[in-house]
Amino acid sequence: MLGNFSYHNATKLYFGDDSLRFLNDELPKYGKTVQLIYGGGSVKKNGIYDAVINILNANGKTVVEDAGVMPNPTADKLREGVKLARDNKVDLLLAVGGGSCCDYAKAVSVSVNCDEDPWDKYFLRFEEPDCEIIPVGCVLTMAGTGSEMNAGSVITNHDQHLKIGHVFGDEVMPKFSILNPRFTLTLPKRQMVSGIYDIFNHICEQYFSGEDDNTSDYLAEGLMKSLIHSSLIAVADPQNYEARSNIMWTATWALNTLIAMGKETDWMVHMIGQAVGAITDATHGMTLAAVSLPYYRSIMRCGLKKFVRFAKEVWQVCPDGKTDEEVAAEGLAAMEQWMRTIGVAMNLRELGVTEDMLEAIADATILLDGGYKQLTREDVVTILKESL
Ligand code: NZQ
Ligand code: ZN
């Protein structure tokens, strides 16, 4: 651990199939008016909405409904949510859904008491909030993003063809999150698998950086092994509570800042994936899956030591009699085999991308420098062509 850092996580978690009742402990800490944020209706079909409403009513809360948060929430929807919160002077934003609802709630939270346009201020100019922030709580229904225990918020602007994430400070983290793995059992298989790959890639983005001997990398390997193990069980038997609970817990630890400690972190798969999402509105985890292997194969030689370690520690590749490059390539081949087994998108065409979109995707890709190779725009175009 050669870096200098401070560590604090501001979110209180309640985990397990009995966890929703702890909403009763949290609600009294906040004022009377709760903005209830949810998506396109899954929570009404599976009964989670009724269960939450009953607890809100029992606690004497006035509920302001904020339905219809779409996957990849938009800047337009954000402006609507801000108006709703302002008009009703809400005291708590309660997100009941996946990462999209949690991210949206955080974006509303920093914008209610701010006069400027939230998209311009936070997502184009990357400014920090300088106003009072409305507290956020989450009842999570999908495992993947880690948004339940981090300060990230990703918003899409279709007019500008941009999808941008802002990682805010501790003050924007959810005050509490309720993680009931049983709530994830109604997810369509494609969403479950997309979430699993999102988790895996969050770990990779932090693992594939730096050269020092770092505890964060050992934690990352443990999380990857648990995820691979549970993903195979969950894909064969989606109703397996034990596997789904491990996946949910792994998702939280994959992106709650812990395994980034002392690391530079890469995030280029996410930058390319988000650009794909900005142009296509495709499911987040699938955009990452479609570009990952061409990306990792293109940088493998620049971070060879770590890719060899990945092959040996995560995929149990035997190094005997092989060159480092062969071992590293075998690790990525094992990862590819796992991706095919769980059923993620293996190329961009599956997500509706055509050759004529590649330049626009490259234009929308933010280039970061924490990974093993600093990409140029041309490198991104090459990776996109190989991902088609
Ligand atoms: O809208 P409803 O009807 O609720 O359906 C949702 C949605 O269609 C459905 N769903 C969720 N829980 C369900 C369920 N269906 C049945 N049963 C359940 N229990 O699943 C669909 C996807 O939901 P969504 O919230 O969009 O998925 P996810 O959790 O993957 O969130 C994606 C968003 O998070 C951002 C992504 O970019 C994307 O905008 N991310 C946020 C991050 C963060 N805050 O740190 C990091 C990530 O890398 C990611 O970028
Ligand atoms: Zn992600």
Side-chain angles (χ1 to χ4, degrees), residues 144-145 198-199 201-202 255 267 270 284-285 288:
T145 64
D198 192 20
I199 302 165
N201 191 254
H202 292 159
L255 195 51
W267 295 107
H270 269 68
H284 171 66
L288 308 176

PDB file of all heavy atoms in Angstrom, residues 144-145 198-199 201-202 255 267 270 284-285 288, ligand 2:
ATOM      1  N   GLY A 144     -25.723  -4.821  -8.733  1.00  0.00           N
ATOM      2  CA  GLY A 144     -24.821  -4.534  -9.860  1.00  0.00           C
ATOM      3  C   GLY A 144     -23.964  -3.306  -9.647  1.00  0.00           C
ATOM      4  O   GLY A 144     -22.751  -3.391  -9.511  1.00  0.00           O
ATOM      5  N   THR A 145     -24.612  -2.153  -9.578  1.00  0.00           N
ATOM      6  CA  THR A 145     -23.853  -0.898  -9.679  1.00  0.00           C
ATOM      7  C   THR A 145     -23.052  -0.539  -8.426  1.00  0.00           C
ATOM      8  O   THR A 145     -22.074   0.189  -8.528  1.00  0.00           O
ATOM      9  CB  THR A 145     -24.801   0.283  -9.953  1.00  0.00           C
ATOM     10  OG1 THR A 145     -25.682   0.434  -8.836  1.00  0.00           O
ATOM     11  CG2 THR A 145     -25.607   0.057 -11.205  1.00  0.00           C
ATOM     12  N   ASP A 198     -21.431  -6.301 -14.572  1.00  0.00           N
ATOM     13  CA  ASP A 198     -21.108  -4.952 -14.078  1.00  0.00           C
ATOM     14  C   ASP A 198     -20.230  -5.059 -12.817  1.00  0.00           C
ATOM     15  O   ASP A 198     -19.201  -4.389 -12.698  1.00  0.00           O
ATOM     16  CB  ASP A 198     -22.416  -4.205 -13.776  1.00  0.00           C
ATOM     17  CG  ASP A 198     -22.226  -2.719 -13.538  1.00  0.00           C
ATOM     18  OD1 ASP A 198     -21.191  -2.165 -13.957  1.00  0.00           O
ATOM     19  OD2 ASP A 198     -23.129  -2.104 -12.937  1.00  0.00           O
ATOM     20  N   ILE A 199     -20.637  -5.940 -11.914  1.00  0.00           N
ATOM     21  CA  ILE A 199     -19.866  -6.144 -10.673  1.00  0.00           C
ATOM     22  C   ILE A 199     -18.442  -6.578 -11.016  1.00  0.00           C
ATOM     23  O   ILE A 199     -17.460  -6.032 -10.513  1.00  0.00           O
ATOM     24  CB  ILE A 199     -20.518  -7.240  -9.788  1.00  0.00           C
ATOM     25  CG1 ILE A 199     -21.959  -6.898  -9.431  1.00  0.00           C
ATOM     26  CG2 ILE A 199     -19.685  -7.474  -8.525  1.00  0.00           C
ATOM     27  CD1 ILE A 199     -22.770  -8.083  -8.878  1.00  0.00           C
ATOM     28  N   ASN A 201     -16.743  -6.209 -13.679  1.00  0.00           N
ATOM     29  CA  ASN A 201     -15.934  -5.169 -14.307  1.00  0.00           C
ATOM     30  C   ASN A 201     -15.544  -4.061 -13.326  1.00  0.00           C
ATOM     31  O   ASN A 201     -14.455  -3.491 -13.430  1.00  0.00           O
ATOM     32  CB  ASN A 201     -16.632  -4.611 -15.543  1.00  0.00           C
ATOM     33  CG  ASN A 201     -15.666  -3.739 -16.316  1.00  0.00           C
ATOM     34  OD1 ASN A 201     -15.779  -2.517 -16.307  1.00  0.00           O
ATOM     35  ND2 ASN A 201     -14.673  -4.344 -16.939  1.00  0.00           N
ATOM     36  N   HIS A 202     -16.416  -3.772 -12.363  1.00  0.00           N
ATOM     37  CA  HIS A 202     -16.006  -2.786 -11.347  1.00  0.00           C
ATOM     38  C   HIS A 202     -14.738  -3.260 -10.642  1.00  0.00           C
ATOM     39  O   HIS A 202     -13.833  -2.472 -10.373  1.00  0.00           O
ATOM     40  CB  HIS A 202     -17.123  -2.578 -10.315  1.00  0.00           C
ATOM     41  CG  HIS A 202     -18.331  -1.908 -10.883  1.00  0.00           C
ATOM     42  ND1 HIS A 202     -19.569  -1.997 -10.309  1.00  0.00           N
ATOM     43  CD2 HIS A 202     -18.486  -1.137 -11.993  1.00  0.00           C
ATOM     44  CE1 HIS A 202     -20.441  -1.315 -11.043  1.00  0.00           C
ATOM     45  NE2 HIS A 202     -19.809  -0.789 -12.066  1.00  0.00           N
ATOM     46  N   LEU A 255     -17.833  -1.830  -5.321  1.00  0.00           N
ATOM     47  CA  LEU A 255     -17.775  -0.405  -5.684  1.00  0.00           C
ATOM     48  C   LEU A 255     -18.270   0.483  -4.544  1.00  0.00           C
ATOM     49  O   LEU A 255     -19.079   1.378  -4.738  1.00  0.00           O
ATOM     50  CB  LEU A 255     -18.570  -0.151  -6.980  1.00  0.00           C
ATOM     51  CG  LEU A 255     -18.297   1.198  -7.667  1.00  0.00           C
ATOM     52  CD1 LEU A 255     -16.818   1.444  -7.879  1.00  0.00           C
ATOM     53  CD2 LEU A 255     -19.026   1.282  -9.003  1.00  0.00           C
ATOM     54  N   TRP A 267     -10.843   2.340 -15.240  1.00  0.00           N
ATOM     55  CA  TRP A 267     -12.171   2.841 -15.638  1.00  0.00           C
ATOM     56  C   TRP A 267     -12.354   3.093 -17.129  1.00  0.00           C
ATOM     57  O   TRP A 267     -13.346   3.682 -17.556  1.00  0.00           O
ATOM     58  CB  TRP A 267     -12.584   4.097 -14.823  1.00  0.00           C
ATOM     59  CG  TRP A 267     -12.755   3.756 -13.380  1.00  0.00           C
ATOM     60  CD1 TRP A 267     -11.914   4.106 -12.353  1.00  0.00           C
ATOM     61  CD2 TRP A 267     -13.770   2.920 -12.788  1.00  0.00           C
ATOM     62  NE1 TRP A 267     -12.356   3.538 -11.168  1.00  0.00           N
ATOM     63  CE2 TRP A 267     -13.483   2.819 -11.413  1.00  0.00           C
ATOM     64  CE3 TRP A 267     -14.890   2.247 -13.317  1.00  0.00           C
ATOM     65  CZ2 TRP A 267     -14.273   2.071 -10.529  1.00  0.00           C
ATOM     66  CZ3 TRP A 267     -15.674   1.511 -12.443  1.00  0.00           C
ATOM     67  CH2 TRP A 267     -15.361   1.432 -11.074  1.00  0.00           C
ATOM     68  N   HIS A 270     -15.448   1.311 -18.554  1.00  0.00           N
ATOM     69  CA  HIS A 270     -16.663   2.077 -18.251  1.00  0.00           C
ATOM     70  C   HIS A 270     -16.788   3.314 -19.128  1.00  0.00           C
ATOM     71  O   HIS A 270     -17.895   3.677 -19.535  1.00  0.00           O
ATOM     72  CB  HIS A 270     -16.712   2.461 -16.765  1.00  0.00           C
ATOM     73  CG  HIS A 270     -17.434   1.437 -15.938  1.00  0.00           C
ATOM     74  ND1 HIS A 270     -16.926   0.181 -15.731  1.00  0.00           N
ATOM     75  CD2 HIS A 270     -18.643   1.461 -15.314  1.00  0.00           C
ATOM     76  CE1 HIS A 270     -17.781  -0.513 -15.001  1.00  0.00           C
ATOM     77  NE2 HIS A 270     -18.841   0.241 -14.737  1.00  0.00           N
ATOM     78  N   HIS A 284     -26.490  -1.215 -19.149  1.00  0.00           N
ATOM     79  CA  HIS A 284     -25.126  -0.840 -18.748  1.00  0.00           C
ATOM     80  C   HIS A 284     -24.130  -2.011 -18.734  1.00  0.00           C
ATOM     81  O   HIS A 284     -23.077  -1.956 -19.373  1.00  0.00           O
ATOM     82  CB  HIS A 284     -25.185  -0.155 -17.374  1.00  0.00           C
ATOM     83  CG  HIS A 284     -23.849   0.084 -16.773  1.00  0.00           C
ATOM     84  ND1 HIS A 284     -22.932   0.953 -17.331  1.00  0.00           N
ATOM     85  CD2 HIS A 284     -23.233  -0.460 -15.674  1.00  0.00           C
ATOM     86  CE1 HIS A 284     -21.836   0.955 -16.595  1.00  0.00           C
ATOM     87  NE2 HIS A 284     -21.986   0.105 -15.591  1.00  0.00           N
ATOM     88  N   GLY A 285     -24.461  -3.078 -18.003  1.00  0.00           N
ATOM     89  CA  GLY A 285     -23.506  -4.189 -17.881  1.00  0.00           C
ATOM     90  C   GLY A 285     -23.172  -4.808 -19.231  1.00  0.00           C
ATOM     91  O   GLY A 285     -22.043  -5.267 -19.464  1.00  0.00           O
ATOM     92  N   LEU A 288     -20.521  -2.931 -21.149  1.00  0.00           N
ATOM     93  CA  LEU A 288     -19.165  -3.214 -20.644  1.00  0.00           C
ATOM     94  C   LEU A 288     -18.671  -4.556 -21.184  1.00  0.00           C
ATOM     95  O   LEU A 288     -17.517  -4.682 -21.610  1.00  0.00           O
ATOM     96  CB  LEU A 288     -19.172  -3.284 -19.112  1.00  0.00           C
ATOM     97  CG  LEU A 288     -19.786  -2.111 -18.351  1.00  0.00           C
ATOM     98  CD1 LEU A 288     -19.799  -2.406 -16.855  1.00  0.00           C
ATOM     99  CD2 LEU A 288     -19.029  -0.817 -18.632  1.00  0.00           C
TER     100      LEU A 288
HETATM  101 ZN    ZN B   2     -20.695  -0.280 -13.927  1.00  0.00          ZN
END
